[in-house]
Amino acid sequence: MGSLHASTLEQLGADVVAGADLVERQRTRFAAEYDARTYETHDGLLTDDAVDAVVVTTPNRFHEPIAVAALETGRDVLVEKPLAHSLESAERIAAAAADSAGTLMVGFHNRYAASMLLFQQYRKRGRFGDLTHVEANYVRRRGVPGPGSWFTDPDLAGGGALLDIGVHALDLALYALDFPEVTEVTGVTRTTFGSKPDYADPDGFGTDWDGQNETYEVDDSVSAFLRTADGQTITLEAAWATNREESMDVRIRGTDAGAQFDVGDTNLTILEAGTVGTDHYADAELTGDPTATGYEDQDRAFLEAIRTGSEPETNTLEEALLVQRVIDAIYRSSELGRAVEVPPARDAATAEPASAAGSTTETDAHSSSAAETDGDGEADVDECPAVD
């Protein structure tokens, strides 16, 4: 993930000047690929005067110490989704951002996919009328990353399928409704498949499977229902593994028309009915630019925010905090076995700074040897691009 950002930013004209990783092999690879300096820790990287902005692509638990340290030096920060491994950690990042001269942006790249861009433009024109409900799905039939990886370790990830892939569908649902005030959440999380010794993995998401002897203490599926103050509702289904067909579809209902698309896809279908000539259904299939990628447009927006010194128009801290508050509510609801209220956002000024709240230290990061993976099982680098 980190290398993807570094390559994208370089293609957009930024200078990738440095990166940090605990693994020497990855530092060597990064230095050769980008002609960049490398550091073992983010502390060393932040002493580099050439670094103007930082991209954080570590396991979720380490988002806070790195993002907070960068913000405290006034650097601009792009942190991959989710904002943090817990709501408390996310609020401490928000407190640091409130006191920083730097800009914080959160990496929800699927908002920039052609399907979502098309939907937003037609929504602004009133094509759908009043939006009433969103069905959001990100379901794999079999796709657990693998026991023993940081994805299945609650201390490093903070959760399982919900925080890894469900967060994408949840974010798009809230984005489609223009981030409404969510008042109540009912959620159920399940841990069913990952610890089974005979778990079938036809698509090879996990390697060297050992579900009984490796850490697997996170959710592999979740179902949730959200209510908003204006009466709009959201249903969410997310799973690494479940016995149903996979789906990544988002279905949006409005009083005049509906829409559906797959997470990160190019095409958008608009669903209508009419009476002209005779009563009929009218479905329109819109095809966006297949060469446009969410990552590219997202990183371009990050560079534009840095260049202008302004807050990003989307992928904002406030939006990411709402996503994090809903995720926290889903887990609380599942634990309590009932619906829970979603508390209003806290004033960032009241959150404890990271140093006072017992956040993960550099020693913790070293002992875990945790770093983001590129999908090939090798640790990746936390790139910190410098922008002219």
Side-chain angles (χ1 to χ4, degrees), residues 95-131:
D99 293 334
S100 175
T103 292
L104 178 68
M105 185 170 171
V106 184
F108 288 106
H109 69 278
N110 288 306
R111 298 187 193 181
Y112 293 88
S115 54
M116 196 64 192
L117 295 175
L118 287 167
F119 169 78
Q120 290 288 46
Q121 288 303 312
Y122 279 95
R123 179 185 66 82
K124 291 176 181 177
R125 296 179 185 181
R127 179 74 172 264
F128 305 104
D130 295 327
L131 300 182

PDB file of all heavy atoms in Angstrom, residues 95-131:
ATOM      1  N   ALA A  95      -7.132  15.636  18.010  1.00  0.00           N
ATOM      2  CA  ALA A  95      -6.634  16.687  18.896  1.00  0.00           C
ATOM      3  C   ALA A  95      -5.307  17.228  18.402  1.00  0.00           C
ATOM      4  O   ALA A  95      -5.068  18.449  18.426  1.00  0.00           O
ATOM      5  CB  ALA A  95      -6.492  16.129  20.314  1.00  0.00           C
ATOM      6  N   ALA A  96      -4.441  16.343  17.935  1.00  0.00           N
ATOM      7  CA  ALA A  96      -3.148  16.785  17.403  1.00  0.00           C
ATOM      8  C   ALA A  96      -3.338  17.610  16.134  1.00  0.00           C
ATOM      9  O   ALA A  96      -2.655  18.617  15.920  1.00  0.00           O
ATOM     10  CB  ALA A  96      -2.252  15.577  17.133  1.00  0.00           C
ATOM     11  N   ALA A  97      -4.281  17.193  15.291  1.00  0.00           N
ATOM     12  CA  ALA A  97      -4.539  17.930  14.055  1.00  0.00           C
ATOM     13  C   ALA A  97      -5.085  19.324  14.339  1.00  0.00           C
ATOM     14  O   ALA A  97      -4.768  20.284  13.630  1.00  0.00           O
ATOM     15  CB  ALA A  97      -5.519  17.146  13.184  1.00  0.00           C
ATOM     16  N   ALA A  98      -5.902  19.450  15.389  1.00  0.00           N
ATOM     17  CA  ALA A  98      -6.480  20.746  15.737  1.00  0.00           C
ATOM     18  C   ALA A  98      -5.404  21.745  16.140  1.00  0.00           C
ATOM     19  O   ALA A  98      -5.566  22.954  15.947  1.00  0.00           O
ATOM     20  CB  ALA A  98      -7.493  20.582  16.864  1.00  0.00           C
ATOM     21  N   ASP A  99      -4.291  21.247  16.697  1.00  0.00           N
ATOM     22  CA  ASP A  99      -3.221  22.124  17.160  1.00  0.00           C
ATOM     23  C   ASP A  99      -2.090  22.255  16.157  1.00  0.00           C
ATOM     24  O   ASP A  99      -1.080  22.896  16.439  1.00  0.00           O
ATOM     25  CB  ASP A  99      -2.644  21.587  18.479  1.00  0.00           C
ATOM     26  CG  ASP A  99      -3.628  21.669  19.628  1.00  0.00           C
ATOM     27  OD1 ASP A  99      -4.520  22.537  19.570  1.00  0.00           O
ATOM     28  OD2 ASP A  99      -3.511  20.860  20.574  1.00  0.00           O
ATOM     29  N   SER A 100      -2.239  21.652  14.976  1.00  0.00           N
ATOM     30  CA  SER A 100      -1.139  21.597  14.012  1.00  0.00           C
ATOM     31  C   SER A 100      -1.344  22.581  12.872  1.00  0.00           C
ATOM     32  O   SER A 100      -2.478  22.863  12.470  1.00  0.00           O
ATOM     33  CB  SER A 100      -1.020  20.180  13.447  1.00  0.00           C
ATOM     34  OG  SER A 100      -0.038  20.115  12.429  1.00  0.00           O
ATOM     35  N   ALA A 101      -0.242  23.046  12.327  1.00  0.00           N
ATOM     36  CA  ALA A 101      -0.300  23.859  11.118  1.00  0.00           C
ATOM     37  C   ALA A 101      -0.465  22.986   9.882  1.00  0.00           C
ATOM     38  O   ALA A 101      -0.759  23.483   8.790  1.00  0.00           O
ATOM     39  CB  ALA A 101       0.979  24.686  10.980  1.00  0.00           C
ATOM     40  N   GLY A 102      -0.284  21.682  10.042  1.00  0.00           N
ATOM     41  CA  GLY A 102      -0.406  20.758   8.925  1.00  0.00           C
ATOM     42  C   GLY A 102      -1.846  20.352   8.661  1.00  0.00           C
ATOM     43  O   GLY A 102      -2.734  20.522   9.497  1.00  0.00           O
ATOM     44  N   THR A 103      -2.071  19.795   7.482  1.00  0.00           N
ATOM     45  CA  THR A 103      -3.379  19.300   7.067  1.00  0.00           C
ATOM     46  C   THR A 103      -3.420  17.788   7.225  1.00  0.00           C
ATOM     47  O   THR A 103      -2.445  17.103   6.919  1.00  0.00           O
ATOM     48  CB  THR A 103      -3.648  19.670   5.590  1.00  0.00           C
ATOM     49  OG1 THR A 103      -3.790  21.086   5.486  1.00  0.00           O
ATOM     50  CG2 THR A 103      -4.916  19.005   5.085  1.00  0.00           C
ATOM     51  N   LEU A 104      -4.541  17.255   7.694  1.00  0.00           N
ATOM     52  CA  LEU A 104      -4.721  15.820   7.810  1.00  0.00           C
ATOM     53  C   LEU A 104      -5.818  15.373   6.846  1.00  0.00           C
ATOM     54  O   LEU A 104      -6.908  15.929   6.836  1.00  0.00           O
ATOM     55  CB  LEU A 104      -5.113  15.419   9.231  1.00  0.00           C
ATOM     56  CG  LEU A 104      -5.370  13.923   9.441  1.00  0.00           C
ATOM     57  CD1 LEU A 104      -4.069  13.142   9.307  1.00  0.00           C
ATOM     58  CD2 LEU A 104      -6.012  13.667  10.796  1.00  0.00           C
ATOM     59  N   MET A 105      -5.495  14.371   6.029  1.00  0.00           N
ATOM     60  CA  MET A 105      -6.454  13.782   5.100  1.00  0.00           C
ATOM     61  C   MET A 105      -6.463  12.276   5.335  1.00  0.00           C
ATOM     62  O   MET A 105      -5.435  11.692   5.692  1.00  0.00           O
ATOM     63  CB  MET A 105      -6.042  14.108   3.660  1.00  0.00           C
ATOM     64  CG  MET A 105      -7.015  13.669   2.594  1.00  0.00           C
ATOM     65  SD  MET A 105      -6.541  14.367   0.975  1.00  0.00           S
ATOM     66  CE  MET A 105      -7.661  13.473  -0.100  1.00  0.00           C
ATOM     67  N   VAL A 106      -7.608  11.633   5.147  1.00  0.00           N
ATOM     68  CA  VAL A 106      -7.745  10.207   5.430  1.00  0.00           C
ATOM     69  C   VAL A 106      -8.033   9.462   4.131  1.00  0.00           C
ATOM     70  O   VAL A 106      -8.853   9.882   3.317  1.00  0.00           O
ATOM     71  CB  VAL A 106      -8.846   9.945   6.468  1.00  0.00           C
ATOM     72  CG1 VAL A 106      -8.906   8.461   6.824  1.00  0.00           C
ATOM     73  CG2 VAL A 106      -8.590  10.777   7.729  1.00  0.00           C
ATOM     74  N   GLY A 107      -7.366   8.326   3.956  1.00  0.00           N
ATOM     75  CA  GLY A 107      -7.366   7.610   2.682  1.00  0.00           C
ATOM     76  C   GLY A 107      -8.556   6.721   2.412  1.00  0.00           C
ATOM     77  O   GLY A 107      -8.467   5.494   2.548  1.00  0.00           O
ATOM     78  N   PHE A 108      -9.674   7.311   1.994  1.00  0.00           N
ATOM     79  CA  PHE A 108     -10.823   6.552   1.515  1.00  0.00           C
ATOM     80  C   PHE A 108     -10.886   6.729  -0.006  1.00  0.00           C
ATOM     81  O   PHE A 108     -11.667   7.523  -0.524  1.00  0.00           O
ATOM     82  CB  PHE A 108     -12.110   7.051   2.177  1.00  0.00           C
ATOM     83  CG  PHE A 108     -12.230   6.676   3.626  1.00  0.00           C
ATOM     84  CD1 PHE A 108     -12.047   7.632   4.620  1.00  0.00           C
ATOM     85  CD2 PHE A 108     -12.521   5.373   3.998  1.00  0.00           C
ATOM     86  CE1 PHE A 108     -12.160   7.295   5.961  1.00  0.00           C
ATOM     87  CE2 PHE A 108     -12.644   5.026   5.339  1.00  0.00           C
ATOM     88  CZ  PHE A 108     -12.453   5.983   6.324  1.00  0.00           C
ATOM     89  N   HIS A 109     -10.072   5.969  -0.731  1.00  0.00           N
ATOM     90  CA  HIS A 109      -9.881   6.213  -2.156  1.00  0.00           C
ATOM     91  C   HIS A 109     -11.095   5.852  -3.001  1.00  0.00           C
ATOM     92  O   HIS A 109     -11.235   6.372  -4.120  1.00  0.00           O
ATOM     93  CB  HIS A 109      -8.662   5.445  -2.663  1.00  0.00           C
ATOM     94  CG  HIS A 109      -8.852   3.961  -2.687  1.00  0.00           C
ATOM     95  ND1 HIS A 109      -8.694   3.179  -1.563  1.00  0.00           N
ATOM     96  CD2 HIS A 109      -9.202   3.119  -3.695  1.00  0.00           C
ATOM     97  CE1 HIS A 109      -8.923   1.925  -1.879  1.00  0.00           C
ATOM     98  NE2 HIS A 109      -9.238   1.850  -3.150  1.00  0.00           N
ATOM     99  N   ASN A 110     -11.988   4.991  -2.500  1.00  0.00           N
ATOM    100  CA  ASN A 110     -13.131   4.587  -3.324  1.00  0.00           C
ATOM    101  C   ASN A 110     -14.115   5.723  -3.573  1.00  0.00           C
ATOM    102  O   ASN A 110     -14.955   5.627  -4.471  1.00  0.00           O
ATOM    103  CB  ASN A 110     -13.853   3.407  -2.670  1.00  0.00           C
ATOM    104  CG  ASN A 110     -13.054   2.127  -2.778  1.00  0.00           C
ATOM    105  OD1 ASN A 110     -12.649   1.723  -3.868  1.00  0.00           O
ATOM    106  ND2 ASN A 110     -12.791   1.495  -1.639  1.00  0.00           N
ATOM    107  N   ARG A 111     -14.023   6.791  -2.807  1.00  0.00           N
ATOM    108  CA  ARG A 111     -14.859   7.956  -3.088  1.00  0.00           C
ATOM    109  C   ARG A 111     -14.523   8.568  -4.447  1.00  0.00           C
ATOM    110  O   ARG A 111     -15.360   9.249  -5.051  1.00  0.00           O
ATOM    111  CB  ARG A 111     -14.661   9.032  -2.017  1.00  0.00           C
ATOM    112  CG  ARG A 111     -15.055   8.629  -0.623  1.00  0.00           C
ATOM    113  CD  ARG A 111     -14.973   9.839   0.267  1.00  0.00           C
ATOM    114  NE  ARG A 111     -15.032   9.525   1.680  1.00  0.00           N
ATOM    115  CZ  ARG A 111     -14.995  10.442   2.636  1.00  0.00           C
ATOM    116  NH1 ARG A 111     -14.917  11.726   2.299  1.00  0.00           N
ATOM    117  NH2 ARG A 111     -15.052  10.089   3.906  1.00  0.00           N
ATOM    118  N   TYR A 112     -13.299   8.336  -4.910  1.00  0.00           N
ATOM    119  CA  TYR A 112     -12.841   8.922  -6.167  1.00  0.00           C
ATOM    120  C   TYR A 112     -13.037   7.990  -7.352  1.00  0.00           C
ATOM    121  O   TYR A 112     -12.646   8.317  -8.473  1.00  0.00           O
ATOM    122  CB  TYR A 112     -11.368   9.305  -6.057  1.00  0.00           C
ATOM    123  CG  TYR A 112     -11.111  10.437  -5.091  1.00  0.00           C
ATOM    124  CD1 TYR A 112     -10.881  10.193  -3.740  1.00  0.00           C
ATOM    125  CD2 TYR A 112     -11.104  11.755  -5.532  1.00  0.00           C
ATOM    126  CE1 TYR A 112     -10.642  11.227  -2.854  1.00  0.00           C
ATOM    127  CE2 TYR A 112     -10.867  12.800  -4.646  1.00  0.00           C
ATOM    128  CZ  TYR A 112     -10.638  12.532  -3.304  1.00  0.00           C
ATOM    129  OH  TYR A 112     -10.409  13.558  -2.415  1.00  0.00           O
ATOM    130  N   ALA A 113     -13.620   6.805  -7.137  1.00  0.00           N
ATOM    131  CA  ALA A 113     -13.914   5.902  -8.250  1.00  0.00           C
ATOM    132  C   ALA A 113     -14.967   6.536  -9.153  1.00  0.00           C
ATOM    133  O   ALA A 113     -15.813   7.322  -8.708  1.00  0.00           O
ATOM    134  CB  ALA A 113     -14.399   4.556  -7.722  1.00  0.00           C
ATOM    135  N   ALA A 114     -14.942   6.182 -10.433  1.00  0.00           N
ATOM    136  CA  ALA A 114     -15.843   6.809 -11.402  1.00  0.00           C
ATOM    137  C   ALA A 114     -17.307   6.623 -11.027  1.00  0.00           C
ATOM    138  O   ALA A 114     -18.125   7.531 -11.205  1.00  0.00           O
ATOM    139  CB  ALA A 114     -15.577   6.238 -12.791  1.00  0.00           C
ATOM    140  N   SER A 115     -17.664   5.447 -10.488  1.00  0.00           N
ATOM    141  CA  SER A 115     -19.063   5.202 -10.133  1.00  0.00           C
ATOM    142  C   SER A 115     -19.547   6.182  -9.082  1.00  0.00           C
ATOM    143  O   SER A 115     -20.668   6.713  -9.172  1.00  0.00           O
ATOM    144  CB  SER A 115     -19.223   3.768  -9.623  1.00  0.00           C
ATOM    145  OG  SER A 115     -18.325   3.513  -8.555  1.00  0.00           O
ATOM    146  N   MET A 116     -18.711   6.451  -8.079  1.00  0.00           N
ATOM    147  CA  MET A 116     -19.126   7.359  -7.014  1.00  0.00           C
ATOM    148  C   MET A 116     -19.124   8.806  -7.494  1.00  0.00           C
ATOM    149  O   MET A 116     -19.997   9.596  -7.101  1.00  0.00           O
ATOM    150  CB  MET A 116     -18.183   7.202  -5.814  1.00  0.00           C
ATOM    151  CG  MET A 116     -18.741   7.813  -4.538  1.00  0.00           C
ATOM    152  SD  MET A 116     -20.246   6.942  -4.024  1.00  0.00           S
ATOM    153  CE  MET A 116     -20.882   8.043  -2.779  1.00  0.00           C
ATOM    154  N   LEU A 117     -18.175   9.161  -8.350  1.00  0.00           N
ATOM    155  CA  LEU A 117     -18.156  10.516  -8.899  1.00  0.00           C
ATOM    156  C   LEU A 117     -19.418  10.776  -9.729  1.00  0.00           C
ATOM    157  O   LEU A 117     -20.021  11.856  -9.646  1.00  0.00           O
ATOM    158  CB  LEU A 117     -16.904  10.722  -9.755  1.00  0.00           C
ATOM    159  CG  LEU A 117     -15.561  10.665  -9.027  1.00  0.00           C
ATOM    160  CD1 LEU A 117     -14.407  10.761 -10.025  1.00  0.00           C
ATOM    161  CD2 LEU A 117     -15.458  11.789  -7.993  1.00  0.00           C
ATOM    162  N   LEU A 118     -19.822   9.781 -10.521  1.00  0.00           N
ATOM    163  CA  LEU A 118     -21.051   9.919 -11.304  1.00  0.00           C
ATOM    164  C   LEU A 118     -22.259  10.068 -10.392  1.00  0.00           C
ATOM    165  O   LEU A 118     -23.122  10.929 -10.608  1.00  0.00           O
ATOM    166  CB  LEU A 118     -21.232   8.705 -12.220  1.00  0.00           C
ATOM    167  CG  LEU A 118     -20.304   8.620 -13.432  1.00  0.00           C
ATOM    168  CD1 LEU A 118     -20.381   7.233 -14.060  1.00  0.00           C
ATOM    169  CD2 LEU A 118     -20.661   9.694 -14.457  1.00  0.00           C
ATOM    170  N   PHE A 119     -22.341   9.222  -9.369  1.00  0.00           N
ATOM    171  CA  PHE A 119     -23.473   9.301  -8.459  1.00  0.00           C
ATOM    172  C   PHE A 119     -23.563  10.671  -7.809  1.00  0.00           C
ATOM    173  O   PHE A 119     -24.657  11.270  -7.742  1.00  0.00           O
ATOM    174  CB  PHE A 119     -23.367   8.228  -7.368  1.00  0.00           C
ATOM    175  CG  PHE A 119     -24.360   8.438  -6.257  1.00  0.00           C
ATOM    176  CD1 PHE A 119     -25.685   8.076  -6.418  1.00  0.00           C
ATOM    177  CD2 PHE A 119     -23.976   9.053  -5.071  1.00  0.00           C
ATOM    178  CE1 PHE A 119     -26.617   8.315  -5.414  1.00  0.00           C
ATOM    179  CE2 PHE A 119     -24.891   9.288  -4.057  1.00  0.00           C
ATOM    180  CZ  PHE A 119     -26.223   8.914  -4.226  1.00  0.00           C
ATOM    181  N   GLN A 120     -22.449  11.184  -7.330  1.00  0.00           N
ATOM    182  CA  GLN A 120     -22.466  12.466  -6.625  1.00  0.00           C
ATOM    183  C   GLN A 120     -22.926  13.604  -7.534  1.00  0.00           C
ATOM    184  O   GLN A 120     -23.672  14.496  -7.100  1.00  0.00           O
ATOM    185  CB  GLN A 120     -21.077  12.773  -6.052  1.00  0.00           C
ATOM    186  CG  GLN A 120     -20.672  11.879  -4.894  1.00  0.00           C
ATOM    187  CD  GLN A 120     -21.448  12.191  -3.622  1.00  0.00           C
ATOM    188  OE1 GLN A 120     -22.666  12.353  -3.621  1.00  0.00           O
ATOM    189  NE2 GLN A 120     -20.740  12.269  -2.515  1.00  0.00           N
ATOM    190  N   GLN A 121     -22.523  13.590  -8.786  1.00  0.00           N
ATOM    191  CA  GLN A 121     -22.940  14.652  -9.693  1.00  0.00           C
ATOM    192  C   GLN A 121     -24.442  14.585  -9.975  1.00  0.00           C
ATOM    193  O   GLN A 121     -25.130  15.613  -9.997  1.00  0.00           O
ATOM    194  CB  GLN A 121     -22.148  14.565 -11.001  1.00  0.00           C
ATOM    195  CG  GLN A 121     -20.691  14.979 -10.854  1.00  0.00           C
ATOM    196  CD  GLN A 121     -20.541  16.389 -10.299  1.00  0.00           C
ATOM    197  OE1 GLN A 121     -21.193  17.332 -10.776  1.00  0.00           O
ATOM    198  NE2 GLN A 121     -19.694  16.546  -9.291  1.00  0.00           N
ATOM    199  N   TYR A 122     -24.963  13.389 -10.174  1.00  0.00           N
ATOM    200  CA  TYR A 122     -26.405  13.264 -10.407  1.00  0.00           C
ATOM    201  C   TYR A 122     -27.199  13.540  -9.137  1.00  0.00           C
ATOM    202  O   TYR A 122     -28.323  14.057  -9.192  1.00  0.00           O
ATOM    203  CB  TYR A 122     -26.735  11.886 -10.979  1.00  0.00           C
ATOM    204  CG  TYR A 122     -26.483  11.805 -12.470  1.00  0.00           C
ATOM    205  CD1 TYR A 122     -25.289  11.308 -12.970  1.00  0.00           C
ATOM    206  CD2 TYR A 122     -27.442  12.248 -13.382  1.00  0.00           C
ATOM    207  CE1 TYR A 122     -25.040  11.253 -14.329  1.00  0.00           C
ATOM    208  CE2 TYR A 122     -27.210  12.201 -14.749  1.00  0.00           C
ATOM    209  CZ  TYR A 122     -26.007  11.705 -15.218  1.00  0.00           C
ATOM    210  OH  TYR A 122     -25.771  11.666 -16.570  1.00  0.00           O
ATOM    211  N   ARG A 123     -26.631  13.204  -7.992  1.00  0.00           N
ATOM    212  CA  ARG A 123     -27.310  13.534  -6.726  1.00  0.00           C
ATOM    213  C   ARG A 123     -27.422  15.040  -6.567  1.00  0.00           C
ATOM    214  O   ARG A 123     -28.476  15.562  -6.185  1.00  0.00           O
ATOM    215  CB  ARG A 123     -26.540  12.948  -5.540  1.00  0.00           C
ATOM    216  CG  ARG A 123     -27.180  13.269  -4.189  1.00  0.00           C
ATOM    217  CD  ARG A 123     -26.324  12.773  -3.037  1.00  0.00           C
ATOM    218  NE  ARG A 123     -25.057  13.473  -2.941  1.00  0.00           N
ATOM    219  CZ  ARG A 123     -24.887  14.662  -2.363  1.00  0.00           C
ATOM    220  NH1 ARG A 123     -25.928  15.303  -1.839  1.00  0.00           N
ATOM    221  NH2 ARG A 123     -23.698  15.216  -2.306  1.00  0.00           N
ATOM    222  N   LYS A 124     -26.343  15.767  -6.856  1.00  0.00           N
ATOM    223  CA  LYS A 124     -26.363  17.223  -6.711  1.00  0.00           C
ATOM    224  C   LYS A 124     -27.370  17.873  -7.657  1.00  0.00           C
ATOM    225  O   LYS A 124     -27.893  18.952  -7.378  1.00  0.00           O
ATOM    226  CB  LYS A 124     -24.963  17.777  -6.957  1.00  0.00           C
ATOM    227  CG  LYS A 124     -23.964  17.414  -5.864  1.00  0.00           C
ATOM    228  CD  LYS A 124     -22.564  17.894  -6.202  1.00  0.00           C
ATOM    229  CE  LYS A 124     -21.574  17.496  -5.123  1.00  0.00           C
ATOM    230  NZ  LYS A 124     -20.181  17.893  -5.461  1.00  0.00           N
ATOM    231  N   ARG A 125     -27.636  17.214  -8.790  1.00  0.00           N
ATOM    232  CA  ARG A 125     -28.616  17.743  -9.741  1.00  0.00           C
ATOM    233  C   ARG A 125     -30.048  17.363  -9.369  1.00  0.00           C
ATOM    234  O   ARG A 125     -31.006  17.738 -10.077  1.00  0.00           O
ATOM    235  CB  ARG A 125     -28.304  17.214 -11.145  1.00  0.00           C
ATOM    236  CG  ARG A 125     -26.966  17.675 -11.697  1.00  0.00           C
ATOM    237  CD  ARG A 125     -26.734  17.074 -13.078  1.00  0.00           C
ATOM    238  NE  ARG A 125     -25.407  17.414 -13.591  1.00  0.00           N
ATOM    239  CZ  ARG A 125     -24.938  17.040 -14.775  1.00  0.00           C
ATOM    240  NH1 ARG A 125     -25.718  16.306 -15.572  1.00  0.00           N
ATOM    241  NH2 ARG A 125     -23.734  17.375 -15.156  1.00  0.00           N
ATOM    242  N   GLY A 126     -30.215  16.580  -8.313  1.00  0.00           N
ATOM    243  CA  GLY A 126     -31.551  16.220  -7.855  1.00  0.00           C
ATOM    244  C   GLY A 126     -32.159  15.028  -8.543  1.00  0.00           C
ATOM    245  O   GLY A 126     -33.372  14.787  -8.415  1.00  0.00           O
ATOM    246  N   ARG A 127     -31.359  14.244  -9.253  1.00  0.00           N
ATOM    247  CA  ARG A 127     -31.895  13.116 -10.035  1.00  0.00           C
ATOM    248  C   ARG A 127     -32.605  12.091  -9.144  1.00  0.00           C
ATOM    249  O   ARG A 127     -33.589  11.467  -9.570  1.00  0.00           O
ATOM    250  CB  ARG A 127     -30.748  12.443 -10.788  1.00  0.00           C
ATOM    251  CG  ARG A 127     -31.127  11.226 -11.640  1.00  0.00           C
ATOM    252  CD  ARG A 127     -31.844  11.623 -12.905  1.00  0.00           C
ATOM    253  NE  ARG A 127     -32.050  10.486 -13.808  1.00  0.00           N
ATOM    254  CZ  ARG A 127     -31.263  10.157 -14.822  1.00  0.00           C
ATOM    255  NH1 ARG A 127     -30.176  10.887 -15.066  1.00  0.00           N
ATOM    256  NH2 ARG A 127     -31.540   9.140 -15.610  1.00  0.00           N
ATOM    257  N   PHE A 128     -32.144  11.911  -7.930  1.00  0.00           N
ATOM    258  CA  PHE A 128     -32.659  10.843  -7.083  1.00  0.00           C
ATOM    259  C   PHE A 128     -33.740  11.297  -6.102  1.00  0.00           C
ATOM    260  O   PHE A 128     -34.323  10.476  -5.394  1.00  0.00           O
ATOM    261  CB  PHE A 128     -31.514  10.194  -6.297  1.00  0.00           C
ATOM    262  CG  PHE A 128     -30.406   9.698  -7.182  1.00  0.00           C
ATOM    263  CD1 PHE A 128     -29.211  10.399  -7.276  1.00  0.00           C
ATOM    264  CD2 PHE A 128     -30.577   8.555  -7.941  1.00  0.00           C
ATOM    265  CE1 PHE A 128     -28.198   9.951  -8.106  1.00  0.00           C
ATOM    266  CE2 PHE A 128     -29.568   8.090  -8.775  1.00  0.00           C
ATOM    267  CZ  PHE A 128     -28.371   8.799  -8.870  1.00  0.00           C
ATOM    268  N   GLY A 129     -34.020  12.596  -6.052  1.00  0.00           N
ATOM    269  CA  GLY A 129     -34.968  13.103  -5.061  1.00  0.00           C
ATOM    270  C   GLY A 129     -34.348  13.053  -3.682  1.00  0.00           C
ATOM    271  O   GLY A 129     -33.142  13.295  -3.512  1.00  0.00           O
ATOM    272  N   ASP A 130     -35.143  12.743  -2.687  1.00  0.00           N
ATOM    273  CA  ASP A 130     -34.628  12.614  -1.315  1.00  0.00           C
ATOM    274  C   ASP A 130     -34.111  11.193  -1.106  1.00  0.00           C
ATOM    275  O   ASP A 130     -34.836  10.216  -1.347  1.00  0.00           O
ATOM    276  CB  ASP A 130     -35.734  12.908  -0.298  1.00  0.00           C
ATOM    277  CG  ASP A 130     -36.218  14.344  -0.371  1.00  0.00           C
ATOM    278  OD1 ASP A 130     -35.396  15.229  -0.674  1.00  0.00           O
ATOM    279  OD2 ASP A 130     -37.428  14.580  -0.130  1.00  0.00           O
ATOM    280  N   LEU A 131     -32.892  11.079  -0.661  1.00  0.00           N
ATOM    281  CA  LEU A 131     -32.317   9.761  -0.408  1.00  0.00           C
ATOM    282  C   LEU A 131     -32.873   9.208   0.894  1.00  0.00           C
ATOM    283  O   LEU A 131     -32.951   9.919   1.908  1.00  0.00           O
ATOM    284  CB  LEU A 131     -30.797   9.842  -0.341  1.00  0.00           C
ATOM    285  CG  LEU A 131     -30.098  10.364  -1.608  1.00  0.00           C
ATOM    286  CD1 LEU A 131     -28.585  10.338  -1.430  1.00  0.00           C
ATOM    287  CD2 LEU A 131     -30.508   9.561  -2.837  1.00  0.00           C
TER     288      LEU A 131
END
